[in-house]
C-alpha cells in the first residue's frame, strides 16, 4: 500500500522522469580513479534505452538518402572517430569543416559538445548531424514516418519511452547509447589500479605528461572540459563560414575565446588520427612537435604554453610522451560487443 | 480494510495536491479566453508580399514567426495565473524551405491562442516572453506545449549552436535601386526577454467568452537597426540581435482591445 502511495507521489511530479519499472537501469562498475557516473534525471539511462540508441546509431535510415548512419563518421574501431581530417561521406558529399572527434566518456562532458561547445547536451546535439545537409540531411518528419513503419522500433520506443515514436525520443535514445561509450580499461588504467606495469619509457612519458600536459588533459578523463587556445594559430581575422575559423568565439562572441577549442580526451588517441579540430596533424609526432616548438602566441593563447615560447621537450622526451599516450588505447572498448553494429 | 481506505484518501489528497502547479489555488470554476496577436505594420494590416515603407526603406515580407511562452495572467492584487505548458508558435508565413531548401514547411497563418481552464477572475495585466526559456532551449528533446523540432524553428542555419530560433522575420528590403534579402532572427538564452502589458480594462474570465487583441507591430521589430547595412541578423550579429530582442520586449507589442 505504501508503495502505491509512493508511486502516486512520483507519478505526479513533472521532473525528474522515473524509469518505467519493467526497464533495467544501466549501470557499470567503474574503476575508483574515475569520477562518479553522472545521473541524467531528464533522460534516465536504462539497458533497453541504451540498446535502442545503439540500433539508431548504426541505422542508415536515419539519413535522408538512407546510406549513412552516425557510425559512418564515428566508427568503433577508431574509438568512434573516422580517420580523415574532413570527411566527405555526408549526404551532400561536401567536406565538413571539422574533424570528427572520438566519442567516449561523453557522460561527463557537461560543459558543451562540439569542438567549441555549442551544443549543451547530447539530447540537443543529435539534431545537428541529423539535419545538416553535409551530414545526414534528414527531414525529421520523414524520419518519424520511416521509423514508425518498422514494428521493431514501434515496440522498442513503446517499451523505453512508453509512447509513440518521436524525434525527441530518437535524440534521447541516441544520448543514452552515447553515454554508455565508456573507455576505462587501457594499460594505463591497469597501471593505476596496480594490476599491470608500464614500460620505463611510458613511465618517463607519464611524468613528463603530468608536468606539461595534464593541466588541460586532466584526471582520469584526460580533459578539464574547458576551452583553450593551444597555439595552433595566431590570426583569427577570417570570419567566413559563420566564424568556423574563430573557435569558441563563435559561441560567446568574446575576443578572449578566439581560437579556443574544447580540450579533447586523449584516451585511445593512437586510434584517432588525424589530430586537432581540423585534423591538421597526421601523427602524434607532429602533435608533439607542435607543443615542443610550434606554439604560436596570440592574446588568447594559453599562458602555460607560451611562458617558454613552447613546452620545452627534447626529441626523446617527445617520444616518451608518445609511448605513454599509446598506453591509453583500450581495445576492450573498441571491440566491446555491446557497442558494435547490431545489424 | 481500514488501512486501505486511509491509503486511498491519502492517495486522493496527493493526487489533487499535485494536479495544480499554479500560483493561484485551484478555482472552483474556470473559464476560457482568446488572445489574438494581430500583426500590423504601424497603422496598416500586416500582409505578406506587399510593399510597406518604414522610415524610408521599402519592406516586403515573406515570413513572420515567433514563440510566445510562459504566459501569465495577473490580477490587480498581483496574484498571477501561469498558463501551464504555454509555448505557442505565432506565425504568418509563405511556404518555407527548411534545411536550405531540402524540405518544405507549408504556408500558414496563426495568430490566436485559446486559453482554457483559467481560474475565474478579473485580470488586469498580461505577461509573456518571446522565445524559449533556457530549460527547454538547452535541451531540444524536452517537450512542452507546441515546442517541436519539426517546424523549422530550431537553429538549422547555425546548428553548431543547437537551440531554438526565438523569432524570425524574413523578406526583402529596398532603398533606391538596391534590394537585399532580409532575414532577422533572434535566439540564445541572453536574448530571452519578457513583455508586460497592462490591460486598458480587465479581462473578465467567467462563464462568458473573454478575449483580448494584442497588436504585434512588425515595424518596431527592426527599429534602430540599419537593415540595408545589416539585412541578415544571426548569431554572428550579436549586438544587433540583442537590439531586436529588446525591441520585442519593449516596443513590438501593445494592447488593442479587451472584451
Amino acid at each position: 500500500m505504501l508503495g502505491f502511495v509512493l508511486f502516486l507521489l512520483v507519478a505526479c511530479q513533472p521532473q525528474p522522469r522515473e524509469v518505467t519499472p519493467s526497464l533495467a537501469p544501466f549501470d557499470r562498475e567503474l574503476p575508483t580513479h574515475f569520477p562518479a557516473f553522472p545521473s541524467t534525471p531528464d533522460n534516465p539511462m536504462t539497458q533497453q534505452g541504451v540498446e535502442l540508441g545503439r540500433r539508431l546509431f548504426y541505422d542508415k535510415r536515419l539519413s535522408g538518402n538512407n546510406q549513412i548512419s552516425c557510425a559512418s563518421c564515428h566508427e568503433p574501431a577508431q574509438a568512434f572517430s573516422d580517420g580523415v581530417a574532413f570527411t566527405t561521406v555526408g549526404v551532400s558529399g561536401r567536406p565538413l569543416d571539422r574533424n570528427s572527434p572520438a566519442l567516449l566518456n561523453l557522460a561527463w562532458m557537461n560543459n558543451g559538445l562540439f569542438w567549441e561547445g555549442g551544443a549543451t547536451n547530447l539530447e540537443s546535439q543529435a539534431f545537428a548531424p541529423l539535419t545538416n545537409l553535409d551530414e545526414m540531411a534528414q527531414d525529421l518528419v520523414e524520419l518519424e514516418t520511416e521509423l514508425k513503419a518498422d514494428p521493431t522500433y514501434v515496440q522498442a520506443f513503446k517499451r523505453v519511452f512508453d509512447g509513440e515514436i518521436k524525434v525527441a525520443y530518437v535524440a534521447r535514445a541516441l544520448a543514452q547509447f552515447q553515454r554508455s561509450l565508456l573507455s576505462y580499461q587501457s594499460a594505463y588504467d591497469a597501471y593505476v589500479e596496480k594490476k599491470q606495469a608500464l614500460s620505463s619509457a611510458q613511465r618517463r612519458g607519464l611524468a613528463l605528461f603530468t608536468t606539461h600536459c595534464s593541466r588541460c588533459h586532466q584526471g582520469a578523463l584526460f580533459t578539464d572540459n574547458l576551452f583553450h587556445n593551444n597555439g595552433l594559430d595566431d590570426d583569427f581575422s577570417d570570419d567566413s563560414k559563420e566564424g568556423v575559423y574563430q573557435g569558441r568565439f563563435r559561441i560567446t562572441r568574446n575576443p578572449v575565446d578566439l581560437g579556443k577549442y574544447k580540450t579533447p580526451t586523449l584516451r585511445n588517441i593512437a586510434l584517432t588520427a588525424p589530430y586537432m579540430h581540423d585534423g591538421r596533424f597526421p601523427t602524434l609526432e607532429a602533435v608533439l612537435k607542435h607543443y615542443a616548438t610550434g606554439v604560436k602566441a596570440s592574446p588568447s593563447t594559453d599562458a602555460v604554453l607560451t611562458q617558454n615560447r613552447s613546452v620545452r621537450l627534447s626529441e626523446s622526451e617527445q617520444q616518451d610522451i608518445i609511448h605513454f599516450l599509446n598506453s591509453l588505447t583500450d581495445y576492450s572498448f573498441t571491440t566491446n560487443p555491446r557497442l558494435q553494429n547490431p545489424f | 480494510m481500514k488501512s486501505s481506505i486511509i491509503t486511498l484518501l491519502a492517495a486522493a489528497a496527493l493526487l489533487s495536491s499535485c494536479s495544480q502547479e499554479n500560483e493561484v489555488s485551484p478555482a472552483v470554476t474556470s473559464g476560457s479566453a482568446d488572445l489574438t496577436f494581430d500583426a500590423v505594420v504601424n497603422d496598416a494590416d500586416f500582409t505578406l508580399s506587399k510593399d510597406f515603407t518604414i522610415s524610408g526603406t521599402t519592406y516586403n515580407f515573406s515570413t513572420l514567426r515567433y514563440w510566445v511562452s510562459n504566459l501569465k495572467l495577473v490580477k490587480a492584487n498581483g496574484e498571477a495565473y501561469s498558463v501551464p505548458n504555454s509555448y505557442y508558435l505565432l506565425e504568418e508565413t509563405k511556404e518555407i524551405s527548411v534545411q536550405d531548401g531540402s524540405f518544405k514547411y507549408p504556408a500558414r497563418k496563426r495568430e490566436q491562442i485559446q486559453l482554457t481552464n483559467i481560474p475565474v477572475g478579473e485580470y488586469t495585466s498580461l505577461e509573456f516572453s518571446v522565445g524559449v526559456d533556457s530549460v527547454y532551449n538547452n535541451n531540444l528533446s524536452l517537450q512542452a506545449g507546441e515546442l517541436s523540432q519539426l517546424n523549422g524553428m530550431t537553429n538549422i542555419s547555425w546548428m553548431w549552436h543547437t537551440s531554438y530560433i526565438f523569432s524570425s522575420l524574413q523578406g526583402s528590403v529596398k532603398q533606391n535601386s538596391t534590394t537585399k534579402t532580409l532575414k532577422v532572427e533572434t535566439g540564445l538564452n541572453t536574448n530571452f526577454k519578457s513583455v508586460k502589458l497592462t490591460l486598458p480594462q480587465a479581462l473578465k474570465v467567467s462563464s462568458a467568452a473573454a478575449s483580448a487583441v494584442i497588436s504585434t507591430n512588425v515595424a518596431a521589430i527592426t527599429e534602430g537597426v540599419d537593415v540595408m547595412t545589416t539585412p541578415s541578423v544571426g548569431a554572428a550579429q550579436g549586438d544587433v540581435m540583442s537590439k531586436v530582442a529588446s525591441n520585442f520586449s519593449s516596443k513590438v507589442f501593445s494592447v488593442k482591445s479587451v472584451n
Side-chain angles (χ1 to χ4, degrees), chain B residues 20-229:
Chain B
Q20 273 285 350
E21 47 180 18
N22 311 313
E23 292 162 37
V24 175
S25 55
V28 193
T29 37
S30 59
S32 59
D34 285 344
L35 292 184
T36 303
F37 285 77
D38 182 20
V40 298
V41 178
N42 294 325
D43 297 327
D45 202 28
F46 174 85
T47 314
L48 297 177
S49 311
K50 179 185 164 189
D51 283 354
F52 291 98
T53 305
I54 306 168
S55 36
T57 304
T58 307
Y59 288 68
N60 192 297
F61 301 103
S62 60
T63 293
L64 167 68
R65 311 179 86 193
Y66 54 98
W67 290 105
V68 164
S69 70
N70 298 290
L71 191 61
K72 267 189 200 175
L73 303 176
V74 189
K75 292 184 180 169
N77 66 4
E79 242 179 66
Y81 172 73
S82 305
V83 181
N85 282 320
S86 51
Y87 296 89
Y88 310 98
L89 182 58
L90 294 161
E91 58 187 336
E92 182 156 354
T93 181
K94 293 205 222 175
E95 184 178 80
I96 302 176
S97 290
V98 181
Q99 292 163 256
D100 299 332
S102 310
F103 315 112
K104 302 278 184 238
Y105 179 88
R108 203 165 101 105
K109 177 168 174 169
R110 191 279 180 98
E111 48 185 28
Q112 208 178 61
I113 297 176
Q114 279 160 337
L115 303 174
T116 50
N117 288 320
I118 312 166
V120 162
E122 301 201 353
Y123 297 95
T124 54
S125 64
L126 203 62
E127 291 177 25
F128 58 89
S129 300
V130 178
V132 178
D133 51 275
S134 62
V135 172
Y136 289 91
N137 202 33
N138 289 347
N139 186 338
L140 298 183
S141 84
L142 296 178
Q143 310 253 277
E146 295 169 12
L147 292 178
S148 161
Q149 303 77 31
L150 304 182
N151 53 25
M153 280 298 269
T154 46
N155 278 338
I156 302 301
S157 50
W158 12 299
M159 241 312 175
W160 36 268
H161 206 148
T162 52
S163 52
Y164 285 94
I165 296 171
F166 292 178
S167 72
S168 178
L169 178 65
Q170 298 182 36
S172 65
V173 282
K174 193 170 132 198
Q175 247 176 37
N176 306 319
S177 57
T178 317
T179 304
K180 291 187 171 168
T181 302
L182 179 79
K183 184 175 184 183
V184 176
E185 292 181 341
T186 60
L188 310 179
N189 294 339
T190 48
N191 293 317
F192 179 70
K193 296 273 167 68
S194 59
V195 181
K196 283 189 183 141
L197 297 175
T198 305
L199 302 176
Q201 72 190 65
L203 179 73
K204 298 192 178 96
V205 174
S206 65
S207 51
S211 67
V213 180
I214 292 152
S215 292
T216 304
N217 186 6
V218 177
I221 295 176
T222 53
E223 205 176 296
V225 175
D226 181 348
V227 286
M228 292 308 292
T229 320

Side-chain angles (χ1 to χ4, degrees), chain A residues 260-273:
Chain A
K260 287 191 185 172
Y261 295 89
K262 189 177 61 193
T263 309
T265 179
L266 298 182
R267 286 185 172 272
N268 298 294
I269 194 73
L271 306 176
T272 66

Side-chain angles (χ1 to χ4, degrees), chain A residues 64-126:
Chain A
N65 63 4
N66 291 344
Q67 285 173 25
I68 66 163
S69 67
C70 305
S72 305
C73 301
H74 299 289
E75 296 167 23
Q78 298 177 80
F80 296 88
S81 68
D82 63 2
V84 292
F86 299 127
T87 182
T88 54
V89 308
V91 169
S92 69
R94 282 191 296 258
L96 298 185
D97 292 314
R98 288 275 187 259
N99 180 235
S100 312
L103 303 182
L104 56 90
N105 299 346
L106 294 171
W108 290 276
M109 205 173 275
N110 56 9
N111 194 30
L113 294 142
F114 290 143
W115 287 96
E116 321 90 344
T120 16
N121 44 48
L122 290 166
E123 283 79 1
S124 301
Q125 182 277 336

